[in-house]
Amino acid sequence: MQKYSASFLGRDCPGVVAVVSSLFGESRCNIEAMTQTTLCGEFAAIFVVIAPENLSLDDLRKNLVDGLAATKVDLSVMLRPAIGQAWGAGLELEPFVITIDGPDGPGIIGAMSRILGRHGVNIENLQAILGEMSEGRALFIFEVLVPKTTDLGRLRRELVHEAQKLNLNASIQHRDIFEAVNRVSSF
């Protein structure tokens, strides 16, 4: 067996996950992992599949592209051999949540992600919420993995300093603390 990673991007519509997963089934591929989201009417998904030995990357791509066209599902497809292991294998990592909020403007994500990259911090998930609380405001939520060797004090100071230059607020919390503080409980 061989493992492939397939990415899909295009117009969201009801049944899109059913179409894609059915096409994998028709090609005798087993879905090992997947994630998907929608954003402003766009569908994005990544599937990791185990394919039979006799199914080449090019044949699977053709099956997917032809199947999407036949069902009139508007998605582009990128297919490649799967990487095999997640970033950070063998490292001691801690999950943190970084929030940045304040007036929206260009360059915010770039500035913050450059600091994270310099410290060897990997962004696992990033969400940008624009204008929800008030017009012109933004909230960015970075879910990150921080190597235990990272100087958290220095990382925090650099993030806060950069945020202040952009008239923003920055917060970094261990994920367990963030979830405990932000947990919604029923009464």
Side-chain angles (χ1 to χ4, degrees):
M1 293 294 191
Q2 51 202 341
K3 200 179 285 192
Y4 296 131
S5 172
S7 302
F8 299 86
L9 180 64
R11 186 183 320 268
D12 187 32
C13 64
V16 66
V17 172
V19 168
V20 172
S21 58
S22 294
L23 292 172
F24 281 125
E26 291 169 11
S27 295
R28 300 175 329 282
C29 293
N30 187 41
I31 298 170
E32 182 177 86
M34 71 90 59
T35 186
Q36 68 90 186
T37 192
T38 59
L39 182 66
C40 299
E42 294 287 331
F43 171 86
I46 303 171
F47 289 76
V48 175
V49 299
I50 299 172
E53 284 299 327
N54 63 351
L55 182 65
S56 73
L57 193 70
D58 289 335
D59 288 341
L60 179 56
R61 180 181 291 109
K62 182 176 179 355
N63 293 352
L64 293 170
V65 169
D66 290 351
L68 290 169
T71 58
K72 295 184 172 59
V73 174
D74 181 19
L75 296 177
S76 57
V77 179
M78 186 176 90
L79 196 60
R80 57 186 274 165
I83 293 170
Q85 74 179 31
W87 174 85
L91 294 176
E92 288 189 65
L93 303 167
E94 290 283 339
F96 281 82
V97 176
I98 298 167
T99 57
I100 309 294
D101 68 281
D104 189 21
I108 295 170
I109 294 172
M112 298 303 154
S113 61
R114 279 190 295 276
I115 293 168
L116 297 173
R118 278 198 309 268
H119 287 271
V121 174
N122 193 48
I123 302 169
E124 292 285 298
N125 191 30
L126 170 57
Q127 186 175 12
I129 304 167
L130 306 177
E132 192 166 287
M133 293 181 264
S134 68
E135 191 67 32
R137 307 273 308 163
L139 171 63
F140 302 93
I141 303 169
F142 294 78
E143 295 176 48
V144 299
L145 290 176
V146 180
K148 283 193 173 185
T149 57
T150 299
D151 181 341
L152 284 174
R154 183 174 173 204
L155 174 61
R156 185 182 319 272
R157 285 189 301 276
E158 287 185 30
L159 287 168
V160 168
H161 177 73
E162 187 65 29
Q164 287 173 341
K165 287 184 357 187
L166 298 169
N167 198 28
L168 301 166
N169 301 306
S171 169
I172 179 169
Q173 293 178 309
H174 193 280
R175 184 178 63 205
D176 295 344
I177 294 170
F178 180 84
E179 288 175 353
V181 168
N182 292 288
R183 184 170 294 128
V184 176
S185 60
S186 59
F187 294 95

